[in-house]
Amino acid sequence: MSFRQQGQCDQQEHLPSHTPAEGLPQVGRRAELNIADYLLPGDTVVIGQAAAEPPELVARLIEAAGECERLTAVCGYSLSDAWGKVTAGRPRVVGYAAHGPLRPLAANGLMDVMPCHYSQLEQHVVSGRIPADVVLLQLPPADADGYHSVGASVDYVALAAQSARVVLAEINENLPSTRGQWRLHRSQITASIATDRPVVGTPSRPPSTAERVLSRNVASMIPDGATIQLGIGTLADAIATELLAHQRLRVRSGLVGNWLLDLHDAGALDTAEGACVTGMALGDPALYSFVHDSDAIQFVPISKLLSATAVAECNPYVAVNSALEVDLLGQVNSEVIKGRYVGAVGSQVDTFRATRLAKSGLAIVAMAATSPSGDTSQVVGRLSGPVTSLQSDIDLVVTEFGIADLRATTLRERAERLIAVAAPEHRATLRSTLPS
């Protein structure tokens, strides 16, 4: 199904980004905002993700979708519970990931998954393949010159806001202003509401014993002076804990969590300009305070984060990503388990392939050997879902049982090495899947 379904009204011509659409009511920063006044039938609404997701505007959009026909909401990494009120086609929800509150939507047929490399999203917006009629996002307050930083998320949504017919914003005084190339002038915002709600972070839990052990295994492959990609979540935090005694670590990670602040406080990070670069930060208030107007970390879109020029001097660039399954060829599934879409392509392939552009690099898949229930092997004879990363894109597969080095291996050798890092109780079954 395309974004422009048959029978939808034609896309409205985009007005200059600094000029509000003619005829639309203008709303002051502290006035009420009736989102239905800004929507047209058939609109595609692109919504900020992570810390840039505006929870109040999302809730109002979903309510308005009951009356406004054929709305499409394009969302990314979400943490808003408002998505639980979506009904069939009201609005139609499209996203590149089925994480958090979007997972039930995908499971119940209320969300269309758009599998693509994260690096493609900017170009999809620029080309119009993802039309941006309306943009909803959360922003920090403007500076003295009237410019809003795009906060802790520099991504395709900020790019979409430059050309959308309507830009609606939640101005949150708790959202950090960050140093980056993309900004929005207040004149580019059609209407806004003010909020002082706490900025969201990711749910956290202590790492399991298996995750602590496999994190030590991962850390053993990361030398001092490496440039790292870890992402966010329990496993990223656990790996960073094992890196606290390292020195001169650099960061080039599409998403950073509380681990960045932990490494900084431990003195493990390189302090040179440009040593820490990301596109998004998602964590506790202490992390947002750290990145606020800080010259210790730069925020850039992924097109610059992983450009050939940017990664060429990394020595090594170590990209660590998790997975749902790895088969005996070394192929990775990070999207579907038991027939349900629960993950994403995301930037996994982007970061793994960036290791090939670096002076040296390692593409590491880090995962527990068994599922969270403990009864299913995550090293499998055959993937149960799509191939997210190719066998040729992977260097190491790390579990709590060791490190499978797949570099320069034959098919038989890599299968044997992967079986060796599977849980012992599953190894015989895995060997039975090998050709004689």
Side-chain angles (χ1 to χ4, degrees):
M1 185 182 294
S2 67
F3 283 93
R4 293 298 177 198
Q5 303 173 61
Q6 186 175 4
Q8 288 183 346
C9 51
D10 293 336
Q11 182 177 352
Q12 301 293 310
E13 182 179 357
H14 285 187
L15 298 172
S17 57
H18 62 276
T19 305
E22 183 178 356
L24 293 178
Q26 301 309 299
V27 179
R29 183 174 180 272
R30 297 191 178 275
E32 284 302 311
L33 186 157
N34 182 5
I35 199 169
D37 292 338
Y38 300 88
L39 300 173
L40 296 175
D43 270 349
T44 295
V45 184
V46 180
I47 300 168
Q49 60 177 336
E53 183 180 38
E56 178 60 31
L57 292 180
V58 169
R60 296 185 191 188
L61 172 69
I62 294 169
E63 183 178 358
E67 301 297 330
C68 190
E69 298 290 333
R70 302 184 307 279
L71 292 179
T72 296
V74 179
C75 52
Y77 193 109
S78 172
L79 292 165
S80 173
D81 292 336
W83 294 106
K85 296 183 179 180
V86 167
T87 57
R90 297 288 186 165
R92 177 192 174 215
V93 180
V94 176
Y96 70 85
H99 295 137
L102 298 179
R103 188 168 293 176
L105 297 189
N108 294 319
L110 299 175
M111 173 183 173
D112 293 326
V113 176
M114 178 177 58
C116 67
H117 298 164
Y118 188 72
S119 61
Q120 293 179 302
L121 291 170
E122 290 177 25
Q123 185 55 40
H124 289 337
V125 167
V126 170
S127 67
R129 286 186 289 269
I130 297 178
D133 302 307
V134 178
V135 167
L136 310 182
L137 74 172
Q138 186 167 224
L139 296 171
D143 62 19
D145 295 320
Y147 284 95
H148 295 268
S149 156
V150 293
S153 295
V154 178
D155 58 15
Y156 65 95
V157 184
L159 184 62
Q162 302 293 335
S163 60
R165 184 188 79 240
V166 171
V167 177
L168 304 178
E170 283 185 44
I171 310 300
N172 191 336
E173 62 185 51
N174 294 318
L175 194 66
S177 292
T178 58
R179 300 189 179 186
Q181 68 180 87
W182 289 350
R183 300 188 299 167
L184 280 176
H185 193 266
R186 62 166 60 104
S187 63
Q188 294 175 272
I189 298 171
T190 311
S192 65
I193 59 175
T195 181
D196 60 358
R197 72 172 70 215
V199 182
V200 296
T202 53
S204 61
R205 59 170 176 81
S208 66
T209 299
E211 288 168 331
R212 286 195 294 269
V213 175
L214 80 88
S215 294
R216 286 196 290 273
N217 290 339
V218 171
S220 72
M221 302 303 298
I222 300 176
D224 289 343
T227 302
I228 58 174
Q229 135 70 34
L230 295 183
I232 61 168
T234 297
L235 189 55
D237 291 341
I239 293 169
T241 297
E242 300 298 329
L243 295 173
L244 295 180
H246 278 53
Q247 297 180 337
R248 305 183 312 282
L249 291 175
R250 302 170 73 88
V251 174
R252 189 163 286 275
S253 188
L255 189 56
V256 296
N258 294 328
W259 58 264
L260 179 76
L261 184 55
D262 293 339
L263 290 175
H264 174 269
D265 290 346
L269 295 180
D270 191 331
T271 58
E273 183 178 356
C276 294
V277 186
T278 189
M280 288 190 285
L282 192 59
D284 292 342
L287 176 67
Y288 297 130
S289 178
F290 172 67
V291 303
H292 177 71
D293 200 28
S294 172
D295 57 7
I297 182 166
Q298 297 179 7
F299 283 76
V300 301
I302 194 169
S303 55
K304 292 191 177 295
L305 183 81
L306 297 180
S307 70
T309 301
V311 300
E313 297 304 314
C314 297
N315 189 26
Y317 181 46
V318 183
V320 184
N321 291 285
S322 191
L324 299 171
E325 298 175 321
V326 176
D327 71 13
L328 296 183
L329 295 173
Q331 299 178 128
V332 178
N333 166 25
S334 295
E335 301 169 70
V336 175
I337 200 73
K338 295 182 179 179
R340 297 177 63 182
Y341 204 99
V342 300
V345 176
S347 61
Q348 181 180 111
V349 179
D350 296 320
T351 56
F352 280 166
R353 292 184 177 174
T355 66
R356 282 30 177 168
L357 301 174
K359 188 172 293 185
S360 65
L362 275 177
I364 300 178
V365 174
M367 67 177 191
T370 57
S371 62
S373 64
D375 58 357
T376 304
S377 178
Q378 296 192 145
V379 179
V380 297
R382 176 176 296 180
L383 298 182
S384 64
V387 177
T388 306
S389 289
L390 301 176
Q391 58 185 350
S392 53
D393 285 335
I394 310 304
D395 294 321
L396 309 177
V397 175
V398 182
T399 75
E400 67 271 32
F401 295 102
I403 300 170
D405 190 339
L406 306 184
R407 293 172 292 182
T409 53
T410 65
L411 295 175
R412 168 67 70 167
E413 289 169 339
R414 60 178 44 217
E416 291 291 350
R417 293 184 185 189
L418 286 162
I419 291 171
V421 300
E425 64 269 26
H426 295 294
R427 292 174 188 173
T429 300
L430 290 168
R431 288 195 182 94
S432 71
T433 66
L434 295 176
S436 56

